[in-house]
Amino acid sequence: MSMPTPIKTLGVVTFGNCADPEQSLFRVNADVPLQQALEHASTLLYYAKKLALDAAMEEQGERYAWASHFLAEMGKAVIDDVCLGVGDGGILS
């Protein structure tokens, strides 16, 4: 009986689009174990949520909006890459 291959990130999902929509500045690293990748994505999305709430509630909250946007983008990229590693290629834009 063979051991199942551990699920890891593939390192194919990019994020941080530049002026050219076809060019991204960052990429998820390959070979990150599933558990570690999901824990990191959860942390990124937790802080994105907190900053989005601050942006909505504070009088000058717009200064939090971009930080929240970028954290959410990073978290989504990690989850999308994990989904590819699991074999679920259905990625939402």
Side-chain angles (χ1 to χ4, degrees):
M1 178 177 195
S2 65
M3 296 293 290
T5 304
I7 300 170
K8 295 183 177 184
T9 55
L10 298 181
V12 297
V13 176
T14 59
F15 60 98
N17 291 343
C18 298
D20 177 1
E22 300 298 316
Q23 186 177 27
S24 297
L25 187 57
F26 302 107
R27 174 182 310 277
V28 174
N29 284 324
D31 296 322
V32 177
L34 173 70
Q35 184 68 31
Q36 291 176 356
L38 291 178
E39 286 174 8
H40 195 79
S42 178
T43 301
L44 289 168
L45 295 173
Y46 170 80
Y47 285 108
K49 176 185 163 193
K50 297 294 265 180
L51 286 169
L53 181 61
D54 286 349
M57 301 302 284
E58 300 271 336
E59 189 171 310
Q60 293 182 346
E62 65 272 0
R63 65 185 169 177
Y64 302 114
W66 281 110
S68 176
H69 169 77
F70 290 126
L71 288 170
E73 184 180 22
M74 286 187 276
K76 182 184 179 323
V78 171
I79 291 172
D80 288 350
D81 207 82
V82 166
C83 286
L84 289 172
V86 171
D88 176 16
I91 297 177
L92 301 175
S93 297

